[in-house]
Amino acid sequence: MSANEETLVRVPGPVNAHSHAFHRILRGRTHEGTAGGAGDFWTWREQMYAAAERLDPAGYEQLATAVFAEMVVTGFTAVGEFHYLHHGPDGAPYPDHEMERALARAARAAGIRLVLLDTCYLSGGLDAAGNPLELNPTQRRFSDGDATGWVERHTALREALAADEPATEAEGAGLVCLGAAIHSVRAVPVPALRVLAAALAPGEPLHVHLSEQPAENQSCWAAHGMSPTGLLAGQGLLGPHLSAVHATHLTEADIAALGGTGCSIVMCPTTEADLADGIGPARELADAGATIALGTDQHAVVDPYLEMRALEYGERLRTGIRGRFSPTELATASRAGGLRSLSLPDNDDHILVNAHSLRTAGSRVAQLPLTATAADVHAVVINGVEVARNGIHTRLGDPAALFLTFTHEHREFA
């Protein structure tokens, strides 16, 4: 059945609060381990590093344009890009923020709102005793050397993005803004944390990967005698401006601290399933006072409705109880939760969803978070412009063709 005016429902535009655009290269490969064995998070990370070391600004822009176009046609209207590919493969800085500007151009080409979460990444992790490790060769391109180096580059980047701001909405004015991120407590030493926090502009969002893996918690306890959440709390970093991404392996004290200070929690359910990371305590966090948002992280799937559904299904699998999040709460996480996490004001961005498709027919409109998929997104309007219709980008065409062109021109990623 083709959609018509009577079958379409207007829905406020979903927000993707956590993305790593270049991870899209690895879709479908997370099961691949070493020597024919099953993969885990750490074998996948080696594949991710191999991809990271080969991207240059031109290739990054081409790939990100395809990724952002895919987000748009599936219904996402804004994205928080957790970005740490700052420098060249040898760690030498590009002359003028080439990688960051590539992302900004890609977002404007796709017509999506972008919060560029400029990420600090200073150490290669923690050893068994909790001591910082040296950066490996790939990680050198992530690092600014120290916290002061990150602050200086972040400040200059803000000025560069402002200088690039288009004159009109038709050219993408108002779509791109800057935020900040701490990669993780294993990648940013404690003395650097307060330096970063003090450098943020008023209202600037701060994101951090938090307790994604048990090994992260174990190394933090070894180094500091406390959990990653406790470490951030001790540095005064918990609060409404902070978004903890994943928050999978938490103690009751962690949950109380994150909720009690009003943090946002960005769950990425399809990625957390794809990487076998585990199921985080989303309901407990929400009940404690945290705001739940949703992201696609490494883009195993790009579909706002599947992220909503996976949040609720994860809770059902974890607890054996249905209705942990109502359809309204799922829709709120996908929209208002994402806006809050990225410090974006409310806007008129919206999607039109076919309520009479093979998937949605028979369900009530309020139940769309539990029945619809991206295939039911008929049209996407961002910043007053229709940017997608029936899975095709109005300016860029079919995102699948963009990906195929990228892999044809960059066969090392095929």
Side-chain angles (χ1 to χ4, degrees):
M1 179 185 297
S2 62
N4 55 55
E5 292 299 325
E6 289 71 32
T7 71
L8 298 178
V9 175
R10 176 174 166 143
V11 175
V15 174
N16 184 351
H18 186 70
S19 161
H20 298 289
F22 79 95
H23 290 189
R24 175 62 173 80
I25 295 168
L26 300 177
R27 178 175 289 179
R29 304 182 191 183
T30 53
H31 66 286
E32 297 174 357
T34 56
D40 61 15
F41 177 85
W42 306 104
T43 56
W44 168 85
R45 192 175 74 157
E46 292 307 312
Q47 296 179 71
M48 181 267 287
Y49 281 167
E53 68 184 3
R54 294 196 293 267
L55 278 170
D56 60 14
Y60 200 25
E61 181 174 351
Q62 187 179 17
L63 175 62
T65 300
V67 174
F68 293 156
E70 181 180 13
M71 290 181 195
V72 165
V73 303
T74 60
F76 285 113
T77 57
V79 58
E81 179 64 26
F82 200 106
H83 165 70
Y84 48 84
L85 292 183
H86 302 304
H87 308 302
D90 60 355
Y94 287 105
D96 198 15
H97 309 287
E98 276 80 351
M99 295 295 270
E100 291 76 19
R101 282 176 148 154
L103 284 171
R105 287 193 297 270
R108 292 188 182 107
I112 195 170
R113 296 188 191 277
L114 169 69
V115 179
L116 182 56
L117 297 167
D118 183 35
T119 303
C120 184
Y121 196 125
L122 301 177
S123 66
L126 300 170
D127 65 17
N131 300 307
L133 296 172
E134 291 187 6
L135 299 163
N136 68 33
T138 301
Q139 290 169 333
R140 284 199 293 266
R141 78 178 305 185
F142 307 163
S143 177
D144 295 299
D146 56 27
T148 300
W150 179 87
V151 170
E152 291 174 351
R153 187 185 52 74
H154 188 70
T155 302
L157 175 59
R158 185 181 303 282
E159 296 170 354
L161 293 177
D164 290 345
E165 180 69 8
T168 66
E169 288 187 357
E171 298 170 306
L175 289 180
V176 176
C177 60
L178 187 64
I182 297 161
H183 180 272
S184 57
V185 298
R186 58 185 169 81
V188 179
V190 172
L193 294 175
R194 284 190 180 272
V195 176
L196 267 64
L200 300 180
E204 185 172 4
L206 178 65
H207 285 220
V208 59
H209 292 132
L210 186 74
S211 294
E212 182 178 6
Q213 292 291 318
E216 175 189 339
N217 290 346
Q218 293 161 5
S219 63
C220 189
W221 275 100
H224 307 293
M226 62 187 72
S227 70
T229 298
L231 182 64
L232 294 177
Q235 299 302 308
L237 294 180
L238 300 188
H241 66 293
L242 183 75
S243 289
V245 181
H246 302 302
T248 307
H249 303 281
L250 302 179
T251 66
E252 290 184 4
D254 293 336
I255 294 169
L258 292 164
T261 53
C263 294
S264 292
I265 307 295
V266 185
M267 296 289 187
C268 304
T270 62
T271 284
E272 289 146 9
D274 189 57
L275 295 178
D277 285 348
I279 301 171
R283 183 70 263 171
E284 290 88 342
L285 284 160
D287 289 344
T291 296
I292 305 298
L294 294 170
T296 63
D297 194 359
Q298 50 102 12
H299 316 304
V301 177
V302 176
D303 185 324
Y305 283 105
L306 292 187
E307 296 297 343
M308 289 184 241
R309 199 123 74 245
L311 178 64
E312 167 63 9
Y313 285 178
E315 284 290 306
R316 294 183 186 188
L317 290 169
R318 183 172 70 89
T319 66
I321 301 171
R322 304 174 198 171
R324 297 279 285 176
F325 286 90
S326 70
T328 298
E329 288 177 306
L330 297 175
T332 297
S334 183
R335 168 68 178 181
L339 290 175
R340 182 182 189 269
S341 171
L342 298 176
S343 297
L344 288 173
D346 200 4
N347 53 57
D348 195 44
D349 297 346
H350 62 275
I351 61 178
L352 299 178
V353 181
N354 185 356
H356 291 177
S357 75
L358 181 63
R359 291 158 296 279
T360 60
S363 65
R364 304 184 185 97
V365 169
Q367 295 169 331
L368 288 175
L370 294 175
T371 59
T373 73
D376 301 309
V377 175
H378 175 71
V380 182
V381 177
I382 305 173
N383 219 25
V385 177
E386 185 179 281
V387 290
R389 179 172 284 264
N390 291 327
I392 301 298
H393 198 281
T394 56
R395 293 194 300 265
L396 300 174
D398 185 354
L402 300 179
F403 283 116
L404 291 172
T405 298
F406 172 80
T407 55
H408 177 77
E409 296 178 4
H410 302 82
R411 293 190 181 277
E412 66 270 27
F413 298 123

